[in-house]
Amino acid sequence: MAKYRIRGARPLYGEIEISGAKNAAVAIIPAAIMSGGVCRIENIPQISDVTMFLDILDELGADIKTVNRHTMDIDCSGIKIPRATFDAMRKIRASYYLLGALLGRFGEAEVAMPGGCNFGGVRPIDQHLKGFRAMGAEIRIVNNGVIKAKAPGGRLKGADIYLDVVSVGATINLMLAGAMADGTTVIENVAKEPHIVDLANFLNSIGADIRGAGTNVIKIRGKEKLGGGFYSIIPDQIEAGTYLAAVAGTGGEVLIKNVIPKHLDCITGKLEDMGVEIENREDSVLVRRTGKIRKTRLKTLPYPGFPTDMQPQLATVLCLADGTSTVTEGVWENRYRYMDELVKMGASVQVDGRIAIIEGVPKLIGAPVQAHDLRAGAAMVIAGLCAHGVTEISGIEYIERGYEDIVEKLRNVGADIEYVYDAPKISRSARNIG
Ligand code: EPU
């Protein structure tokens, strides 16, 4: 198994180019199922969650052509059977978007329940199912966690839906379902993340009629058919935020390129509170940290609040702050499992339910640590970059689900990070042969 080995405590200098947004890509790729033509999609990140999704579409019968490393032509007109129950489905969380896309196009779907990052808590989908039911679908959960959904008459019906919790996944799934439903769908109390707006823009570019994405209410006039098109995915807000946090932790000066600075306001505002200098440019952000990291209070909330997907990275930087910080997790129930790993590196942290109290220490010390999920893994990388000595991170397959070329991007700004491979264990008898 590969690991990352990092020799830390060196500031970062240079430029990092941000890739396309993972959470937009994993919504837009299944949305292409609803298109009646070829969708050319640009700025697709090269990460394992995307590769797995493309494999799923391939198994379903889509024709996918690679135009270049980040551009694909996806033609889903050949998909005939709305059934996706293969093993790959269980490996990624966003595979549940196939429910909305297949139900929308075929009026029926059979899909395996999703897997994905496990923070240690429950990840329910009751709001997705409530919305599909409001649109007339009959839903059954059968053996092995397979969901069967069917709209009597072969087409979903537009409906008024109020989400009891602000959910990114439910908003996306119901937008997909509504795009081809019969009549108008109004979804209230929706999520407003940049990738929600990106999905609406993509669907509109292929002929859907979706208004209000980015506000609390989304209104969709269902269309019988959607066409093909050309679309470029937005840059990844969380990837950019992760590198901003890395520079905040190590010190130095880096230009983060190919970003939409407005999408980063919720992160850069907090970094400025912590004494980090931020300079917004047209499509890049310069980050510089020369002084001490200041303590702060942080609470994660749905967008435009501070993103939960940046909580582990910022909490790691706060381990080195001048004083005691408080972090409150307002989205997920259990997202502090990674704190035990930071403690191995000398951090001083106390967790009580959704609150973590972090007392800044002068330095972190390199240690062998584990990435428990994608963002916790990114936090381990930041901890390793800040720490004195050598850090070895295992579980890097989680990190590579969401960060394209992370090792190369960090090496380009002066980080000492490399892949290391454990030598395969050879049994005593095998060693004695010959
Ligand atoms: N929730 C419910 N019922 C539902 C759906 C959600 O109670 O039917 C609750 C969840 O338990 C959670 C909250 O609502 O407490 C928010 O969950 P949401 O549905 O918004 O999360 P998600 O769609 O499963 C996406 C991202 C996550 C990110 C969250 C929150 C994707 C593929 N995943 O998950 O990203 O943490 O939104 O912003 O878009 C990551 O990229 O590392 C990641 C985990």
Side-chain angles (χ1 to χ4, degrees), residues 22-23 96 123-127 167-169 309 331-332 375:
K22 166 181 97 77
N23 288 345
Y96 53 37
R123 295 187 68 172
I125 59 166
D126 55 297
Q127 297 302 306
S167 157
V168 169
D309 292 343
V331 176
W332 294 108
R375 307 305 171 187

Side-chain angles (χ1 to χ4, degrees), residues 228-375:
F230 173 86
Y231 196 76
S232 186
I233 293 175
I234 52 167
D236 197 307
Q237 174 207 28
I238 304 298
E239 188 200 10
T242 300
Y243 291 121
L244 289 168
V247 181
T250 60
E253 179 175 314
V254 173
L255 186 67
I256 311 289
K257 291 167 70 175
N258 183 36
V259 296
I260 299 174
K262 186 84 200 122
H263 292 170
L264 298 174
D265 282 353
C266 46
I267 302 165
T268 48
K270 191 42 75 180
L271 286 169
E272 284 178 317
D273 260 11
M274 292 161 58
V276 179
E277 292 168 57
I278 298 285
E279 207 179 291
N280 283 343
R281 304 197 175 157
E282 199 180 334
D283 58 1
S284 59
V285 173
L286 184 76
V287 52
R288 186 188 305 115
R289 209 266 294 163
T290 47
K292 291 240 180 225
I293 301 162
R294 289 199 296 259
K295 64 179 179 178
T296 193
R297 278 169 177 271
L298 184 75
K299 179 165 186 183
T300 69
L301 288 168
Y303 189 82
F306 185 86
T308 173
D309 292 343
M310 280 300 302
Q311 181 258 98
Q313 301 90 313
L314 256 268
T316 300
V317 177
L318 288 174
C319 290
L320 294 164
D322 203 2
T324 303
S325 303
T326 311
V327 176
T328 307
E329 175 51 56
V331 176
W332 294 108
E333 250 168 48
N334 187 349
R335 209 173 187 177
Y336 289 129
R337 208 147 62 112
Y338 68 92
M339 289 290 191
D340 288 344
E341 305 299 305
L342 291 180
V343 168
K344 288 183 197 160
M345 300 176 73
S348 174
V349 184
Q350 280 190 325
V351 174
D352 184 5
R354 286 184 177 240
I355 295 178
I357 308 287
I358 304 172
E359 199 185 317
V361 293
K363 62 179 182 179
L364 294 175
I365 310 289
V369 289
Q370 174 79 30
H372 289 299
D373 66 61
L374 168 59
R375 307 305 171 187

Side-chain angles (χ1 to χ4, degrees), residues 182-249:
D182 182 11
T184 301
T185 299
V186 179
I187 321 168
E188 284 186 71
N189 197 29
V190 293
K192 301 191 275 279
E193 270 69 2
H195 38 286
I196 304 276
V197 179
D198 209 35
L199 173 67
N201 288 342
F202 166 71
L203 286 168
N204 286 340
S205 78
I206 60 170
D209 182 352
I210 301 177
R211 298 188 192 179
T215 73
N216 288 326
V217 183
I218 294 180
K219 188 170 179 183
I220 308 162
R221 287 196 181 85
K223 293 287 177 82
E224 244 174 275
K225 268 192 172 173
L226 300 177
F230 173 86
Y231 196 76
S232 186
I233 293 175
I234 52 167
D236 197 307
Q237 174 207 28
I238 304 298
E239 188 200 10
T242 300
Y243 291 121
L244 289 168
V247 181

Side-chain angles (χ1 to χ4, degrees), residues 50 117 158 176 186 207 228 247 263 287 396 425:
V50 161
C117 271
L176 291 168
V186 179
V247 181
H263 292 170
V287 52
I396 62 168
K425 287 208 174 72

